[in-house]
Amino acid sequence: MEVRSEGVQVRCDKLQAPVIARTRLRVWFIRVCSSIVIWTCLIQLLTVTELWRSNFISGITSRIYHTNQRPFLAETTVAQAPPPYPPARNYTSNGFLRVSCNGGLNQMRAAICDMVTIARLLNLTLVVPELDKKSFWADPSNFEDIFDVTHFIGSLRDEVRIVKRVPKKFNTKNGYSTLKMAPISWSNEKYYLEQILPHFSKHKVVHFNKTDARLANNGLPLDLQKLRCRVNFQALKFTPEIETLGQKLIRILCEKGPFVALHLRYEMDMLAFSGCTHGCSYEEAEELKRMRYAFPWWREKEIVSEERRLQGQCPLTPEETALVLQALGFDRDMQIYIAAGEIYGGEHRLAQLRAAFPKILKKEMMLAHDELWQFQNHSSQMAALDFMVSVASNTFIPTYDGNMAKLVEGHRRYLGFEKSILLDRKKLVELLDLHQNGTLPFDEFSDAVRRVHENRMGQPFRRRVSDKPKEEDYFYANPQECLCEGTKCDDLSGPRNSSEVR
């Protein structure tokens, strides 16, 4: 029995060995599969988390473009994921449109909006715009360094096809030649349909080497005007890096109370270009004159500064600005954010303004060096930060009506006619001189300044139309077609009518 029993035991062990081996193999297989599933889930979870974080930040920062609330007021709301891109428009392209934008950030921004609109009108494929690298600022930034190129292409794909480069088959090796030209300024749809479109039948690629003010302000179909707005207010989002840092500036300012964004255009390039040297020393005036002659595309060379100032064509000096802000009733404790580059004359020229308003702030003062270093020597990226803060401010005040002033004004109108004080420089120069020579006491000066600007606070009004396109109100400063529903915007007629000169 014992032997038999041992034999049975041995036989059972032999029978169980393969079973145990199979069981171990099954356990090992289950463990491997479980590990794969767990790691896959972890990777997916991390990806979803990263996407959520990206969308969360994007949802906050893009409110400048998508809501009627200032972004810092909406920051505490629950962020919504951006909607999916619209279905692509199906059309036969007549050719490729290349564009080289000229000027500073905001001049290029308006040009990009116009070029998308022209590409839509002519059924073209637009190549992602090239940005100016040869202007006074010599900024090496490409489109994708400033704007979210993926969003730009995707959000407009129901209107126009946009590509990053012209396909290689359309190069000179294959017999294609690119036509380079600059369209006539302030041209309407008839010009583009009748004089520009035929070029694409011969040249599949046309390159607009100048894009500033190449599309009319008025007289365009409503759908084209609305497309210009859609590009400006929705498609042209800044990169996540710019938007995140811009929102940080806005948050810091808002935590300390209301603030004024002062676009103090008292910068070297502006003074040299305009010939405005009021308040400058003889040496400074000569330096600015030399710079004006150094840039051949600045056509005016010999300029009488005082004449230009009396015509209201000069930016206010920092000293003049301090008096105007005081006359308008701004409190000494008001935060004043300087939305500008380096002020000509540096801190010396800001002394009187800082004495009147000690809470003068600039992005360089509010951010750590390692946060701002990536934007140094990239003037357009720095200007993008100022643009964001200016749009979000409680009050925006430009001391000169250049491209940034106009585009910020239009953006704030789009966001619900936020307060923008549009200074009447011609009248102000007259009042300032009377006050500073002792003829006009400060109380009377202040009353006069306030009366002049009662109807210049960004209220609704219609764009002025003129037989001379250069004298018309700028579309992007007052995109009235995008501020109401329907084809008529009679309700936008405020205290100032369309025939009144600004």
Side-chain angles (χ1 to χ4, degrees), residues 246-258:
Q247 282 295 330
K248 181 173 182 178
L249 286 169
I250 295 167
R251 186 172 63 252
I252 293 170
L253 287 161
C254 292
E255 286 173 352
K256 297 179 180 178

Side-chain angles (χ1 to χ4, degrees), residues 253 256 260 262 264 318 321-322 325 331-339 343 347 350-366:
L253 287 161
K256 297 179 180 178
V260 172
L262 177 66
L264 188 61
T321 302
L325 291 178
D331 189 86
R332 176 180 171 82
D333 291 329
M334 175 61 71
Q335 296 183 96
I336 308 290
Y337 177 86
I338 304 294
I343 302 303
E347 283 298 315
L350 285 175
Q352 187 171 324
L353 181 61
R354 192 178 293 280
F357 298 94
K359 294 183 179 178
I360 294 286
L361 297 166
K362 295 187 286 186
K363 52 187 172 293
E364 293 83 358
M365 299 166 56
M366 299 168 61

Side-chain angles (χ1 to χ4, degrees), residues 51-288:
L51 285 172
W52 181 87
R53 287 179 58 204
S54 176
N55 288 338
F56 180 79
I57 293 171
S58 178
I60 292 174
T61 57
S62 65
R63 284 193 178 86
I64 283 183
Y65 309 93
H66 295 289
T67 73
N68 287 337
Q69 298 293 326
R70 285 196 289 270
F72 59 86
L73 294 177
E75 204 168 347
T76 57
T77 61
V78 177
Q80 298 294 325
Y85 294 135
R89 175 172 168 248
N90 185 18
Y91 67 99
T92 301
S93 175
N94 290 318
F96 292 86
L97 176 60
R98 283 183 56 200
V99 296
S100 292
C101 301
N102 53 297
L105 172 65
N106 290 284
Q107 182 172 305
M108 293 191 292
R109 184 188 185 102
I112 292 166
C113 299
D114 287 351
M115 294 302 109
V116 170
T117 304
I118 291 167
R120 176 63 174 83
L121 172 66
L122 303 183
N123 284 330
L124 302 173
T125 298
L126 178 69
V127 182
V128 169
E130 302 163 16
L131 303 188
D132 194 338
K133 297 177 174 61
K134 298 180 180 179
S135 65
F136 168 83
W137 302 276
D139 187 340
S141 300
N142 293 315
F143 184 97
E144 61 272 17
D145 298 320
I146 300 172
F147 301 108
D148 186 332
V149 67
T150 301
H151 177 79
F152 176 70
I153 294 172
S155 64
L156 291 170
R157 66 182 187 175
D158 61 328
E159 293 284 359
V160 62
R161 193 174 303 137
I162 304 175
V163 296
K164 292 186 177 180
R165 59 190 63 85
V166 177
K168 291 183 179 179
K169 68 177 183 178
F170 292 104
N171 59 27
T172 53
K173 292 182 180 179
N174 294 320
Y176 292 96
S177 61
T178 298
L179 173 64
K180 293 186 177 182
M181 63 176 298
I184 296 174
S185 299
W186 295 287
S187 296
N188 59 21
E189 59 171 337
K190 182 179 179 182
Y191 166 79
Y192 282 100
L193 287 168
E194 295 181 0
Q195 298 191 45
I196 298 298
L197 183 57
H199 289 304
F200 286 90
S201 59
K202 181 179 179 181
H203 306 271
K204 282 297 180 183
V205 183
V206 174
H207 181 187
F208 290 171
N209 50 18
K210 285 189 178 179
T211 59
D212 57 318
R214 305 292 151 165
L215 191 59
N217 288 308
N218 299 294
L220 297 177
L222 181 63
D223 61 327
L224 294 183
Q225 298 289 57
K226 285 185 174 289
L227 178 56
R228 295 168 96 175
C229 291
R230 179 178 167 188
V231 182
N232 189 23
F233 301 130
Q234 298 178 17
L236 284 177
K237 284 180 59 177
F238 294 125
T239 63
E241 293 80 10
I242 291 174
E243 289 206 354
T244 299
L245 202 56
Q247 282 295 330
K248 181 173 182 178
L249 286 169
I250 295 167
R251 186 172 63 252
I252 293 170
L253 287 161
C254 292
E255 286 173 352
K256 297 179 180 178
F259 69 96
V260 172
L262 177 66
H263 185 42
L264 188 61
R265 195 67 171 93
Y266 201 78
E267 298 155 304
M268 192 174 191
D269 66 294
M270 183 71 250
L271 300 179
F273 174 77
S274 64
C276 297
T277 57
H278 182 70
C280 295
S281 66
Y282 174 79
E283 291 75 17
E284 288 172 331
E286 287 299 304
E287 179 183 38
L288 295 170

Side-chain angles (χ1 to χ4, degrees), residues 6 13 60 123 183 206 226 240 330 370 376 436 471:
E6 287 177 0
D13 290 342
I60 292 174
N123 284 330
V206 174
K226 285 185 174 289
F330 285 100
D370 60 346
Q376 298 289 348
Q436 291 179 315
E471 297 178 3

